[in-house]
Amino acid sequence: MSNVIPGGWVQFLDKMGDDLDVVNSARISFSKKHEVIKKGDAELIDFLLRNRHGTPFEMVEFMFQVRCPLTVAREWFRHRIASYNEVSGRYVKQQNDNYIPEISAVRIQTGKPGNYHYEPMEDLDKANRLIDKMVSAYEFSYETYEELLTEGMAKELARNVLCQGMFTEFRFKVNARALMNFLSLRNAPNAMFEIQQYAKKMEEYFKAVLPLTHAAFIKHGRVAP
Ligand SMILES: Cc1cc2nc3c(=O)[nH]c(=O)nc-3n(C[C@H](O)[C@H](O)[C@H](O)COP(=O)(O)OP(=O)(O)OC[C@H]3O[C@@H](n4cnc5c(N)ncnc54)[C@H](O)[C@@H]3O)c2cc1C
């Protein structure tokens, strides 16, 4: 399990396949198979990636467990080419557990739609004060949630008062092609800071499992095939 933001982590649970499965999936076109990675396989992977022959990369799968704020999960779940299971707020009482950013992650936003820039808030006293305000809002909303539950309201309805900074937990299974798309978009400077931290860590796992594919991904501009 790797901590990526305060209270948030990503855990690499399992994988199926490696670079050898990518080349063997491509070579089945010619009814050929290698037992181990051989000379020329890195070039084949490079060729597949460069020419956007994407399906051999779908033969490798990754499974992660993730704990992140709802704001991050909402962006994450837009990635449709994946499988998800999430803890249910209808069945489980939510915890009073919300994302409180590090002071260095408190940022300001400048620019305009399509071209926003984010810079650290220089006034650290102010940044601390704003973090305190976030915490007060979390506390107020959680107290209201508990009050509604105590009065008998169903969890599925009462949860509407909870904050978007609340942590959720889910499993994410994704093939290497769709994961490259995720990394390309989310381990990128224009992605939200918090989701970037998850994507950075996941890219380390991706590189460890698929070193040749990762090298080609980097070489060809971090574009999914
Ligand atoms: C910096 C940034 C800002 C964003 N801002 C916004 C925003 O303001 N509003 C907003 O709504 N979203 C926003 N998004 C989300 C974005 O539009 C995508 O929904 C998200 O990045 C998932 O990408 P995807 O569709 O490529 O991934 P996946 O859904 O995993 O799809 C992977 C690939 O499969 C193919 N595919 C999947 N479904 C279809 C389909 N139905 N038809 C054809 N091809 C398909 C495509 O090739 C796609 O690239 C933003 C994303 C980023 C990274």
Side-chain angles (χ1 to χ4, degrees):
M1 190 183 297
S2 302
N3 295 323
V4 286
I5 57 172
W9 45 256
V10 59
Q11 184 180 14
F12 174 59
L13 291 178
D14 212 348
K15 60 109 182 169
M16 184 182 79
D18 52 23
D19 281 324
L20 185 61
D21 289 290
V22 174
V23 288
N24 280 336
S25 300
R27 286 214 165 90
I28 201 162
S29 307
F30 305 101
S31 206
K32 294 258 168 55
K33 185 181 173 194
H34 284 178
E35 295 306 323
V36 291
I37 287 283
K38 289 192 177 157
K39 197 168 175 294
D41 285 347
E43 286 75 10
L44 176 54
I45 287 177
D46 191 88
F47 169 86
L48 294 171
L49 213 129
R50 190 173 69 243
N51 291 287
R52 304 192 66 212
H53 291 303
T55 49
F57 299 101
E58 294 174 14
M59 299 300 171
V60 181
E61 298 256 1
F62 293 79
M63 185 159 61
F64 296 97
Q65 188 137 334
V66 178
R67 189 167 190 276
C68 68
L70 291 174
T71 45
V72 172
R74 193 180 164 119
E75 293 197 353
W76 202 308
F77 282 39
R78 297 300 306 279
H79 293 264
R80 296 157 289 179
I81 311 300
S83 302
Y84 297 88
N85 280 115
E86 186 181 17
V87 64
S88 169
R90 296 183 70 200
Y91 309 139
V92 176
K93 183 184 168 193
Q94 301 292 334
Q95 299 299 304
N96 189 10
D97 212 354
N98 296 282
Y99 172 53
I100 302 167
E102 306 260 26
I103 191 152
S104 58
V106 177
R107 51 212 185 255
I108 59 163
Q109 180 172 358
T110 57
K112 52 184 183 182
N115 192 23
Y116 282 123
H117 303 283
Y118 298 89
E119 289 150 30
M121 183 172 276
E122 283 177 4
D123 182 343
L124 296 184
D125 289 338
K126 185 175 179 187
N128 269 317
R129 197 160 34 82
L130 297 186
I131 289 176
D132 288 346
K133 269 190 187 288
M134 284 177 86
V135 173
S136 305
Y138 290 151
E139 292 303 327
F140 177 71
S141 102
Y142 196 78
E143 276 167 25
T144 309
Y145 172 68
E146 286 207 299
E147 208 177 310
L148 296 175
L149 294 181
T150 307
E151 294 284 335
M153 187 181 278
K155 294 185 198 74
E156 66 177 15
L157 182 58
R159 65 179 168 170
N160 280 289
V161 301
L162 293 169
C163 293
Q164 291 195 56
M166 193 187 73
F167 281 101
T168 186
E169 206 169 312
F170 61 90
R171 279 186 174 209
F172 173 63
K173 185 171 77 67
V174 63
N175 68 52
R177 184 185 194 181
L179 183 54
M180 280 188 268
N181 184 55
F182 180 91
L183 299 176
S184 166
L185 293 169
R186 303 302 183 178
N187 186 7
N190 62 340
M192 181 170 71
F193 169 81
E194 285 77 13
I195 201 166
Q196 267 188 60
Q197 309 315 305
Y198 288 84
K200 274 189 213 309
K201 184 50 70 180
M202 289 160 71
E203 188 155 340
E204 289 175 19
Y205 295 124
F206 177 77
K207 185 178 176 184
V209 172
L210 294 174
L212 300 181
T213 300
H214 184 258
F217 174 62
I218 299 296
K219 183 175 164 194
H220 298 296
R222 302 179 59 82
V223 177

